[in-house]
Coordinates of all heavy atoms in Angstrom, one line a residue:
M16 N 0.8 -1.2 0.0 CA 0.0 0.0 0.0 C 0.9 1.2 0.0 O 0.4 2.4 -0.2 CB -0.9 0.0 1.2 CG -2.0 1.1 1.1 SD -3.1 1.3 2.5 CE -4.1 -0.1 2.3
N17 N 2.2 1.2 0.2 CA 3.0 2.3 0.2 C 3.0 3.1 -1.2 O 3.2 4.3 -1.2 CB 4.5 1.9 0.5 CG 4.6 1.5 2.0 OD1 3.7 1.9 2.8 ND2 5.6 0.8 2.3
N18 N 2.8 2.4 -2.3 CA 2.8 3.0 -3.6 C 1.4 3.5 -4.0 O 1.3 4.0 -5.1 CB 3.3 2.0 -4.6 CG 4.8 1.7 -4.4 OD1 5.5 2.5 -3.9 ND2 5.2 0.5 -4.8
S19 N 0.5 3.4 -3.1 CA -0.9 3.8 -3.4 C -1.0 5.3 -3.5 O -0.4 6.1 -2.8 CB -1.8 3.3 -2.3 OG -3.1 3.8 -2.5
Q20 N -1.9 5.8 -4.4 CA -2.1 7.2 -4.5 C -3.2 7.6 -3.5 O -3.5 8.8 -3.4 CB -2.6 7.5 -6.0 CG -1.5 7.3 -7.0 CD -0.4 8.2 -6.8 OE1 -0.5 9.4 -6.6 NE2 0.8 7.6 -6.8
R21 N -3.9 6.7 -2.9 CA -4.9 7.0 -1.9 C -4.3 7.8 -0.8 O -3.2 7.5 -0.3 CB -5.5 5.8 -1.3 CG -6.9 5.6 -1.6 CD -7.5 4.4 -1.0 NE -7.2 4.3 0.4 CZ -7.4 3.2 1.1 NH1 -7.9 2.2 0.6 NH2 -7.2 3.3 2.4
G22 N -5.0 8.8 -0.4 CA -4.5 9.6 0.8 C -3.6 10.8 0.4 O -3.2 11.6 1.3
L23 N -3.2 10.9 -0.8 CA -2.4 12.1 -1.2 C -3.2 13.3 -1.4 O -4.3 13.3 -1.9 CB -1.6 11.7 -2.5 CG -0.6 10.7 -2.5 CD1 0.1 10.5 -3.8 CD2 0.5 11.0 -1.4
L24 N -2.7 14.4 -1.0 CA -3.4 15.7 -1.1 C -2.9 16.4 -2.3 O -1.7 16.6 -2.5 CB -3.1 16.5 0.2 CG -4.0 17.8 0.2 CD1 -5.4 17.5 0.6 CD2 -3.4 18.8 1.3
V25 N -3.8 16.9 -3.1 CA -3.5 17.6 -4.3 C -3.4 19.1 -3.9 O -4.2 19.7 -3.3 CB -4.6 17.5 -5.4 CG1 -4.3 18.3 -6.6 CG2 -4.8 16.0 -5.7
R26 N -2.2 19.7 -4.2 CA -2.0 21.1 -3.9 C -2.6 22.0 -5.0 O -2.0 22.3 -6.0 CB -0.5 21.4 -3.8 CG 0.1 20.7 -2.6 CD 1.6 21.0 -2.4 NE 2.1 20.4 -1.2 CZ 2.2 21.1 0.0 NH1 2.0 22.3 0.0 NH2 2.7 20.4 1.0
L27 N -3.9 22.3 -4.8 CA -4.6 23.1 -5.7 C -4.3 24.6 -5.7 O -4.5 25.3 -6.6 CB -6.1 22.8 -5.5 CG -6.6 21.4 -5.7 CD1 -8.0 21.3 -5.3 CD2 -6.4 20.9 -7.1
L28 N -3.9 25.1 -4.5 CA -3.5 26.5 -4.3 C -2.1 26.6 -3.7 O -1.6 25.7 -3.1 CB -4.5 27.1 -3.3 CG -6.0 27.1 -3.6 CD1 -6.8 27.7 -2.5 CD2 -6.3 27.9 -4.9
S29 N -1.5 27.7 -3.9 CA -0.3 28.0 -3.2 C -0.6 28.3 -1.8 O -1.8 28.5 -1.4 CB 0.4 29.2 -3.9 OG -0.3 30.4 -3.6
K30 N 0.4 28.3 -0.9 CA 0.2 28.6 0.5 C -0.4 30.0 0.7 O -1.2 30.2 1.5 CB 1.5 28.5 1.2 CG 2.0 27.0 1.4 CD 3.3 26.9 2.2 CE 3.7 25.5 2.3 NZ 4.9 25.3 3.1
K31 N 0.1 30.9 -0.2 CA -0.4 32.3 0.0 C -1.9 32.3 -0.4 O -2.7 33.0 0.2 CB 0.4 33.2 -1.0 CG 0.0 34.7 -0.9 CD 0.8 35.5 -1.7 CE 0.4 37.0 -1.7 NZ 1.2 37.8 -2.5
E32 N -2.3 31.6 -1.5 CA -3.7 31.6 -1.9 C -4.6 30.9 -0.9 O -5.7 31.3 -0.7 CB -3.8 30.8 -3.3 CG -3.2 31.6 -4.4 CD -3.1 30.8 -5.7 OE1 -2.9 29.5 -5.6 OE2 -3.3 31.3 -6.8
L33 N -4.0 29.9 -0.2 CA -4.8 29.2 0.8 C -5.0 30.1 2.0 O -6.1 30.2 2.5 CB -4.0 27.9 1.2 CG -4.7 27.0 2.3 CD1 -6.1 26.6 1.8 CD2 -3.8 25.8 2.6
D34 N -4.0 30.8 2.4 CA -4.1 31.8 3.4 C -5.2 32.9 3.1 O -6.0 33.3 3.9 CB -2.8 32.5 3.7 CG -1.8 31.6 4.5 OD1 -2.3 30.7 5.1 OD2 -0.6 31.9 4.4
Q35 N -5.2 33.3 1.8 CA -6.2 34.3 1.4 C -7.6 33.7 1.5 O -8.6 34.4 1.8 CB -5.9 34.8 0.0 CG -4.6 35.6 -0.1 CD -4.2 35.9 -1.5 OE1 -4.6 35.2 -2.5 NE2 -3.3 36.9 -1.7
A36 N -7.7 32.4 1.1 CA -9.0 31.8 1.1 C -9.5 31.6 2.6 O -10.7 31.8 2.9 CB -9.0 30.3 0.5
I37 N -8.6 31.4 3.5 CA -9.0 31.3 4.9 C -9.4 32.7 5.4 O -10.4 32.8 6.1 CB -7.8 30.8 5.8 CG1 -7.5 29.3 5.5 CG2 -8.1 30.9 7.3 CD1 -6.3 28.7 6.1
E38 N -8.7 33.7 5.0 CA -9.0 35.0 5.4 C -10.4 35.5 4.9 O -11.2 36.1 5.6 CB -7.9 36.0 5.0 CG -8.1 37.4 5.5 CD -6.9 38.3 5.0 OE1 -5.8 37.8 5.0 OE2 -7.2 39.5 4.7
A39 N -10.6 35.1 3.6 CA -11.9 35.5 3.0 C -13.1 34.8 3.7 O -14.2 35.3 4.0 CB -11.9 35.1 1.5
A40 N -12.9 33.5 4.1 CA -13.9 32.7 4.8 C -14.2 33.3 6.2 O -15.3 33.3 6.6 CB -13.5 31.3 4.9
Q41 N -13.1 33.8 6.8 CA -13.2 34.4 8.1 C -14.1 35.7 8.0 O -14.9 35.9 8.8 CB -11.9 34.7 8.8 CG -11.2 33.5 9.3 CD -9.7 33.7 9.7 OE1 -9.1 34.7 9.2 NE2 -9.3 32.9 10.6
K42 N -13.8 36.5 7.0 CA -14.5 37.8 6.8 C -15.9 37.5 6.5 O -16.8 38.3 6.9 CB -13.8 38.6 5.7 CG -12.5 39.2 6.1 CD -12.0 40.0 5.0 CE -10.6 40.7 5.4 NZ -10.0 41.3 4.3
A43 N -16.2 36.4 5.8 CA -17.6 36.0 5.4 C -18.3 35.3 6.6 O -19.4 34.9 6.4 CB -17.6 35.2 4.2
D44 N -17.6 35.1 7.7 CA -18.1 34.4 8.8 C -18.6 33.0 8.5 O -19.6 32.5 9.0 CB -19.3 35.2 9.5 CG -19.6 34.8 10.9 OD1 -18.6 34.4 11.6 OD2 -20.8 34.9 11.3
E45 N -17.8 32.3 7.7 CA -18.0 30.9 7.4 C -17.1 30.0 8.2 O -16.1 29.5 7.8 CB -17.7 30.7 5.9 CG -18.6 31.4 4.9 CD -18.3 31.1 3.5 OE1 -17.5 31.8 2.9 OE2 -18.9 30.2 2.9
T46 N -17.5 29.8 9.5 CA -16.6 29.2 10.4 C -16.4 27.7 10.1 O -15.3 27.2 10.3 CB -17.2 29.2 11.9 OG1 -18.5 28.7 11.8 CG2 -17.2 30.7 12.4
R47 N -17.3 27.1 9.5 CA -17.1 25.6 9.1 C -16.1 25.5 8.0 O -15.2 24.7 8.0 CB -18.5 25.0 8.7 CG -19.4 24.7 9.8 CD -20.6 24.1 9.3 NE -21.5 23.6 10.4 CZ -22.5 24.3 10.8 NH1 -22.9 25.4 10.3 NH2 -23.2 23.8 11.8
L48 N -16.2 26.4 7.0 CA -15.2 26.5 6.0 C -13.8 26.8 6.5 O -12.8 26.2 6.0 CB -15.6 27.4 4.9 CG -14.7 27.5 3.6 CD1 -14.6 26.1 3.0 CD2 -15.2 28.5 2.6
V49 N -13.7 27.7 7.4 CA -12.4 28.1 8.0 C -11.7 26.9 8.6 O -10.6 26.6 8.4 CB -12.6 29.2 9.0 CG1 -11.3 29.5 9.8 CG2 -13.0 30.5 8.3
R50 N -12.5 26.1 9.4 CA -12.0 24.9 10.0 C -11.5 23.9 9.0 O -10.4 23.3 9.2 CB -13.1 24.4 10.9 CG -12.7 23.2 11.8 CD -13.8 22.9 12.7 NE -13.4 21.7 13.5 CZ -14.3 20.8 13.8 NH1 -15.6 20.9 13.5 NH2 -13.9 19.7 14.5
R51 N -12.2 23.7 8.0 CA -11.8 22.8 6.9 C -10.6 23.2 6.2 O -9.7 22.4 5.9 CB -13.0 22.6 6.0 CG -14.2 21.9 6.6 CD -15.4 22.0 5.8 NE -16.5 21.5 6.6 CZ -17.6 20.9 6.1 NH1 -17.8 20.8 4.9 NH2 -18.6 20.6 6.9
L52 N -10.5 24.5 5.9 CA -9.3 25.0 5.3 C -8.1 25.0 6.2 O -7.0 24.8 5.7 CB -9.6 26.5 4.8 CG -10.5 26.6 3.6 CD1 -10.9 28.1 3.4 CD2 -10.0 26.0 2.4
C53 N -8.3 25.2 7.5 CA -7.2 25.1 8.4 C -6.7 23.6 8.5 O -5.5 23.4 8.6 CB -7.6 25.5 9.8 SG -7.8 27.3 10.0
F54 N -7.5 22.7 8.3 CA -7.1 21.2 8.2 C -6.2 21.1 7.0 O -5.1 20.5 7.1 CB -8.3 20.4 8.1 CG -8.1 18.9 7.8 CD1 -7.4 18.1 8.7 CD2 -8.4 18.4 6.5 CE1 -7.2 16.8 8.3 CE2 -8.1 17.1 6.2 CZ -7.5 16.3 7.1
I55 N -6.6 21.6 5.9 CA -5.8 21.5 4.6 C -4.5 22.3 4.8 O -3.5 21.8 4.4 CB -6.6 22.1 3.4 CG1 -7.9 21.3 3.2 CG2 -5.8 22.1 2.2 CD1 -7.7 19.8 2.9
K56 N -4.5 23.4 5.4 CA -3.3 24.2 5.7 C -2.3 23.4 6.5 O -1.1 23.4 6.2 CB -3.6 25.5 6.3 CG -2.4 26.4 6.5 CD -2.7 27.7 7.2 CE -1.5 28.5 7.3 NZ -1.7 29.9 7.8
N57 N -2.8 22.7 7.5 CA -2.0 21.8 8.3 C -1.3 20.8 7.5 O -0.1 20.4 7.7 CB -2.7 21.2 9.5 CG -3.1 22.3 10.5 OD1 -2.5 23.3 10.7 ND2 -4.2 22.0 11.2
L58 N -2.1 20.2 6.6 CA -1.5 19.2 5.7 C -0.5 19.8 4.8 O 0.6 19.2 4.5 CB -2.6 18.5 4.8 CG -3.6 17.7 5.6 CD1 -4.8 17.2 4.7 CD2 -3.0 16.5 6.3
Y59 N -0.7 21.0 4.2 CA 0.3 21.7 3.4 C 1.6 21.9 4.2 O 2.7 21.9 3.6 CB -0.3 23.1 3.0 CG -1.0 23.1 1.7 CD1 -1.9 22.2 1.3 CD2 -0.8 24.2 0.8 CE1 -2.6 22.3 0.1 CE2 -1.5 24.4 -0.3 CZ -2.4 23.3 -0.7 OH -3.0 23.4 -1.9
Q60 N 1.5 22.1 5.5 CA 2.7 22.4 6.3 C 3.4 21.2 6.7 O 4.4 21.3 7.4 CB 2.3 23.2 7.5 CG 1.8 24.6 7.2 CD 1.3 25.4 8.4 OE1 0.9 24.8 9.4 NE2 1.1 26.7 8.2
G61 N 2.9 20.0 6.3 CA 3.7 18.8 6.5 C 3.1 17.8 7.6 O 3.7 16.8 7.8
D62 N 2.0 18.2 8.2 CA 1.4 17.3 9.2 C 0.8 16.1 8.4 O 0.4 16.1 7.3 CB 0.2 18.0 9.8 CG 0.6 19.0 10.9 OD1 1.8 19.2 11.1 OD2 -0.3 19.6 11.5
T63 N 0.8 15.0 9.2 CA 0.1 13.8 8.7 C -1.4 14.1 8.8 O -1.8 15.1 9.5 CB 0.4 12.6 9.5 OG1 0.0 12.7 10.8 CG2 1.9 12.2 9.5
R64 N -2.2 13.3 8.2 CA -3.7 13.5 8.4 C -4.1 13.4 9.8 O -4.9 14.2 10.3 CB -4.5 12.4 7.6 CG -4.7 12.8 6.2 CD -5.8 11.9 5.7 NE -5.9 12.0 4.2 CZ -6.5 11.3 3.4 NH1 -7.2 10.3 3.9 NH2 -6.5 11.4 2.1
E65 N -3.5 12.5 10.6 CA -3.9 12.3 12.0 C -3.5 13.6 12.8 O -4.2 14.0 13.6 CB -3.2 11.1 12.6 CG -3.8 9.8 12.1 CD -3.5 9.4 10.7 OE1 -2.5 9.9 10.2 OE2 -4.3 8.7 10.1
Q66 N -2.3 14.1 12.6 CA -1.9 15.3 13.2 C -2.7 16.5 12.9 O -3.2 17.2 13.8 CB -0.4 15.7 12.9 CG 0.6 14.7 13.4 CD 2.0 14.9 12.8 OE1 2.1 15.3 11.7 NE2 3.0 14.6 13.6
A67 N -3.0 16.7 11.6 CA -3.9 17.8 11.2 C -5.3 17.6 11.7 O -5.9 18.6 12.1 CB -3.9 17.8 9.6
G68 N -5.8 16.4 11.8 CA -7.1 16.1 12.3 C -7.2 16.4 13.8 O -8.2 16.9 14.3
R69 N -6.2 16.0 14.5 CA -6.2 16.3 15.9 C -6.2 17.8 16.2 O -6.8 18.3 17.2 CB -5.0 15.7 16.6 CG -5.3 14.3 17.1 CD -4.2 13.7 17.9 NE -3.4 12.8 17.0 CZ -2.1 12.9 16.8 NH1 -1.3 13.7 17.5 NH2 -1.5 12.0 16.0
R70 N -5.5 18.6 15.4 CA -5.4 20.1 15.6 C -6.8 20.7 15.5 O -7.1 21.7 16.1 CB -4.5 20.7 14.6 CG -3.0 20.4 14.9 CD -2.2 21.1 13.9 NE -0.9 20.6 13.8 CZ 0.2 21.0 14.5 NH1 0.0 22.0 15.3 NH2 1.4 20.5 14.3
V71 N -7.6 20.2 14.6 CA -9.0 20.8 14.4 C -10.1 19.9 15.0 O -11.3 20.2 14.8 CB -9.3 21.1 12.9 CG1 -8.4 22.1 12.3 CG2 -9.2 19.8 12.1
V72 N -9.7 18.8 15.7 CA -10.6 17.9 16.4 C -11.6 17.3 15.5 O -12.8 17.7 15.6 CB -11.2 18.6 17.6 CG1 -11.9 17.6 18.5 CG2 -10.2 19.4 18.4
I73 N -11.2 16.4 14.6 CA -12.1 15.7 13.8 C -11.8 14.2 13.7 O -10.7 13.8 14.1 CB -12.2 16.2 12.3 CG1 -10.8 16.2 11.7 CG2 -12.8 17.6 12.2 CD1 -10.7 16.6 10.2
S74 N -12.7 13.4 13.4 CA -12.6 11.9 13.3 C -11.8 11.6 12.0 O -11.6 12.3 11.1 CB -13.9 11.3 13.3 OG -14.6 11.5 12.1
R75 N -11.3 10.3 12.0 CA -10.6 9.8 10.9 C -11.4 9.8 9.6 O -11.0 10.1 8.5 CB -10.1 8.4 11.1 CG -8.8 8.4 11.9 CD -8.3 7.0 12.0 NE -6.9 7.1 12.5 CZ -6.2 6.0 12.8 NH1 -6.7 4.8 12.6 NH2 -5.0 6.2 13.3
S76 N -12.7 9.4 9.8 CA -13.6 9.4 8.6 C -13.8 10.8 8.0 O -13.8 11.0 6.8 CB -14.9 8.7 8.9 OG -15.6 9.5 9.9
T77 N -13.8 11.8 8.9 CA -14.0 13.2 8.5 C -12.7 13.6 7.8 O -12.8 14.4 6.8 CB -14.4 14.1 9.6 OG1 -15.6 13.6 10.2 CG2 -14.5 15.5 9.2
M78 N -11.6 13.2 8.3 CA -10.3 13.6 7.7 C -10.3 13.1 6.2 O -9.9 13.8 5.3 CB -9.1 12.9 8.4 CG -8.8 13.4 9.8 SD -7.5 12.4 10.5 CE -8.0 12.3 12.2
R79 N -10.7 11.8 6.0 CA -10.7 11.3 4.7 C -11.7 12.0 3.8 O -11.4 12.3 2.6 CB -11.1 9.8 4.7 CG -9.9 8.9 5.2 CD -10.3 7.4 5.0 NE -11.4 7.0 5.8 CZ -11.3 6.5 7.1 NH1 -10.1 6.5 7.6 NH2 -12.3 6.2 7.7
R80 N -12.8 12.3 4.3 CA -13.9 13.0 3.6 C -13.4 14.4 3.2 O -13.6 14.8 2.0 CB -15.2 13.1 4.4 CG -16.4 13.0 3.6 CD -17.7 12.8 4.5 NE -17.5 12.8 5.9 CZ -17.8 13.9 6.6 NH1 -18.2 15.0 6.1 NH2 -17.7 13.8 7.9
W81 N -12.9 15.1 4.1 CA -12.4 16.5 3.8 C -11.3 16.5 2.8 O -11.2 17.3 1.9 CB -12.0 17.2 5.1 CG -13.2 17.7 5.9 CD1 -14.5 17.4 5.7 CD2 -13.1 18.4 7.2 NE1 -15.3 17.9 6.7 CE2 -14.4 18.6 7.6 CE3 -12.0 18.9 7.9 CZ2 -14.7 19.2 8.8 CZ3 -12.4 19.6 9.0 CH2 -13.7 19.8 9.5
A82 N -10.3 15.6 2.9 CA -9.2 15.5 2.0 C -9.7 15.2 0.6 O -9.3 15.7 -0.4 CB -8.1 14.5 2.5
S83 N -10.7 14.2 0.5 CA -11.2 13.8 -0.7 C -12.0 15.0 -1.4 O -11.9 15.2 -2.6 CB -12.1 12.6 -0.5 OG -12.8 12.2 -1.7
S84 N -12.8 15.7 -0.5 CA -13.5 16.9 -1.0 C -12.6 17.9 -1.6 O -12.9 18.6 -2.6 CB -14.4 17.4 0.1 OG -15.4 16.5 0.4
W85 N -11.5 18.1 -0.9 CA -10.5 19.1 -1.3 C -9.9 18.7 -2.7 O -9.8 19.5 -3.6 CB -9.4 19.3 -0.3 CG -8.2 20.1 -0.8 CD1 -7.0 19.6 -1.3 CD2 -8.1 21.5 -0.9 NE1 -6.2 20.6 -1.7 CE2 -6.9 21.8 -1.4 CE3 -9.0 22.5 -0.6 CZ2 -6.5 23.1 -1.7 CZ3 -8.6 23.8 -0.8 CH2 -7.3 24.1 -1.3
N86 N -9.5 17.4 -2.8 CA -8.9 16.9 -4.1 C -9.9 17.0 -5.2 O -9.5 17.3 -6.3 CB -8.5 15.5 -3.9 CG -7.2 15.4 -3.0 OD1 -6.5 16.3 -2.8 ND2 -7.0 14.2 -2.5
D87 N -11.2 16.8 -5.0 CA -12.2 16.8 -6.0 C -12.7 18.2 -6.4 O -13.0 18.4 -7.5 CB -13.4 16.0 -5.6 CG -13.1 14.5 -5.5 OD1 -12.1 14.1 -6.0 OD2 -13.9 13.8 -4.9
G88 N -12.7 19.1 -5.4 CA -13.3 20.4 -5.7 C -12.7 21.6 -5.1 O -13.3 22.7 -5.2
G89 N -11.5 21.5 -4.5 CA -10.9 22.6 -3.9 C -11.7 23.3 -2.8 O -12.4 22.6 -2.0
V90 N -11.6 24.6 -2.8 CA -12.3 25.4 -1.7 C -13.8 25.1 -1.8 O -14.5 24.9 -0.8 CB -12.0 26.9 -1.8 CG1 -12.9 27.7 -0.8 CG2 -10.5 27.1 -1.6
E91 N -14.3 25.2 -3.0 CA -15.8 24.9 -3.2 C -16.2 23.5 -2.8 O -17.3 23.3 -2.3 CB -16.2 25.2 -4.6 CG -16.2 26.7 -5.0 CD -17.1 27.5 -4.1 OE1 -18.3 27.1 -3.8 OE2 -16.6 28.5 -3.6
G92 N -15.3 22.6 -2.9 CA -15.6 21.2 -2.5 C -15.7 21.1 -1.0 O -16.3 20.2 -0.5
L93 N -14.9 22.0 -0.3 CA -15.0 21.9 1.2 C -16.1 22.7 1.8 O -16.5 22.6 2.9 CB -13.7 22.5 1.7 CG -12.5 21.6 1.7 CD1 -11.3 22.4 2.3 CD2 -12.7 20.3 2.4
R94 N -16.8 23.6 0.9 CA -17.8 24.4 1.4 C -19.0 23.5 1.9 O -19.4 22.6 1.1 CB -18.3 25.3 0.3 CG -19.2 26.5 0.8 CD -19.4 27.5 -0.3 NE -18.2 28.1 -0.8 CZ -17.5 29.1 -0.3 NH1 -18.0 29.6 0.9 NH2 -16.5 29.6 -0.8
P95 N -19.5 23.7 3.1 CA -20.6 22.9 3.6 C -21.8 23.0 2.7 O -22.2 24.1 2.3 CB -20.9 23.4 5.0 CG -19.7 24.2 5.4 CD -19.1 24.7 4.1
R96 N -22.5 21.9 2.5 CA -23.8 21.9 1.8 C -24.9 21.5 2.7 O -24.9 20.3 3.2 CB -23.7 21.0 0.6 CG -22.7 21.5 -0.5 CD -22.6 20.6 -1.7 NE -21.8 19.4 -1.5 CZ -20.5 19.4 -1.4 NH1 -19.8 20.5 -1.3 NH2 -19.9 18.2 -1.3
F97 N -25.8 22.3 2.9 CA -27.0 22.0 3.7 C -28.1 21.7 2.8 O -28.9 22.6 2.4 CB -27.3 23.1 4.6 CG -26.2 23.5 5.5 CD1 -25.4 24.6 5.3 CD2 -25.8 22.7 6.6 CE1 -24.3 24.9 6.1 CE2 -24.8 23.0 7.4 CZ -24.0 24.1 7.2
G98 N -28.3 20.4 2.5 CA -29.3 20.0 1.6 C -30.5 19.5 2.2 O -31.5 20.2 2.6
G99 N -30.5 18.2 2.5 CA -31.7 17.6 3.1 C -32.5 17.0 2.0 O -32.2 17.0 0.8
W100 N -33.6 16.4 2.4 CA -34.5 15.8 1.5 C -35.4 16.8 0.9 O -35.8 17.8 1.6 CB -35.4 14.8 2.3 CG -34.6 13.6 2.8 CD1 -34.1 13.5 4.0 CD2 -34.1 12.5 2.1 NE1 -33.4 12.3 4.2 CE2 -33.4 11.7 2.9 CE3 -34.3 12.1 0.7 CZ2 -32.8 10.5 2.5 CZ3 -33.7 10.9 0.4 CH2 -33.0 10.1 1.2
P101 N -35.8 16.6 -0.3 CA -36.8 17.6 -0.9 C -38.2 17.5 -0.2 O -38.5 16.4 0.3 CB -36.9 17.1 -2.4 CG -36.4 15.7 -2.4 CD -35.5 15.6 -1.2
P102 N -38.9 18.6 -0.2 CA -40.2 18.6 0.5 C -41.2 17.6 -0.2 O -41.2 17.5 -1.4 CB -40.7 20.0 0.5 CG -39.8 20.7 -0.6 CD -38.6 19.9 -0.7
K103 N -42.0 16.9 0.6 CA -43.0 16.1 0.1 C -44.2 16.8 -0.3 O -45.0 16.4 -1.2 CB -43.3 14.9 1.1 CG -42.2 14.0 1.3 CD -42.6 12.9 2.2 CE -41.4 11.9 2.3 NZ -41.8 10.7 3.1
L104 N -44.5 17.9 0.4 CA -45.7 18.7 0.1 C -45.4 19.8 -0.9 O -44.3 20.4 -0.9 CB -46.2 19.3 1.4 CG -46.6 18.4 2.5 CD1 -47.0 19.1 3.7 CD2 -47.8 17.5 2.0
T105 N -46.3 20.0 -1.8 CA -46.2 21.1 -2.7 C -46.7 22.4 -2.1 O -47.4 22.3 -1.1 CB -47.0 20.8 -4.0 OG1 -48.4 20.7 -3.7 CG2 -46.5 19.5 -4.7
P106 N -46.5 23.6 -2.7 CA -47.0 24.8 -2.1 C -48.5 24.9 -2.0 O -49.1 25.5 -1.2 CB -46.5 25.9 -3.0 CG -45.2 25.3 -3.6 CD -45.5 23.9 -3.7
Q107 N -49.2 24.1 -2.9 CA -50.7 24.1 -2.9 C -51.1 23.3 -1.7 O -52.1 23.3 -1.1 CB -51.2 23.5 -4.2 CG -51.0 24.3 -5.4 CD -49.6 24.0 -6.0 OE1 -48.9 23.1 -5.6 NE2 -49.3 24.8 -7.0

């Protein structure tokens, strides 16, 4: 499993761009996004997933999910989505 590509983080932004994204999320009061971006920043700085996850207090499954979301969609991939089920009743 040492040669596996699983678990690798894609560096979609430079460190400066990542800092700017964190700052923008803070200004927009998007605390959930800030936390997720801080997790990514810790990974950029050389932390293992476990170390980075401990710093922001998340579970292993959340670490995997956030890293995968980052790799697939960058900042927008990390943005929380509050969906839920579609309503069963119509406006009528």
Side-chain angles (χ1 to χ4, degrees):
M16 189 184 286
N17 290 340
N18 294 331
S19 174
Q20 293 297 312
R21 242 179 56 189
L23 293 180
L24 188 74
V25 179
R26 291 183 178 259
L27 300 171
L28 301 175
S29 69
K30 289 182 181 183
K31 183 178 179 180
E32 291 170 326
L33 183 57
D34 287 339
Q35 290 170 344
I37 292 170
E38 188 176 320
Q41 287 172 331
K42 286 181 182 175
D44 200 30
E45 296 181 271
T46 54
R47 287 183 172 99
L48 181 59
V49 170
R50 188 170 174 220
R51 294 167 189 208
L52 289 171
C53 286
F54 169 72
I55 299 299
K56 183 177 180 176
N57 291 335
L58 293 174
Y59 267 41
Q60 292 174 343
D62 283 0
T63 64
R64 271 196 194 169
E65 286 73 24
Q66 292 168 330
R69 269 188 260 128
R70 290 182 198 267
V71 295
V72 192
I73 56 175
S74 68
R75 280 189 168 172
S76 61
T77 301
M78 291 177 220
R79 283 190 295 273
R80 212 166 10 95
W81 286 3
S83 177
S84 294
W85 171 261
N86 288 342
D87 293 342
V90 175
E91 287 305 312
L93 285 179
R94 195 171 300 280
R96 290 180 284 291
F97 301 104
W100 294 97
K103 291 184 178 183
L104 299 175
T105 64
Q107 294 85 6

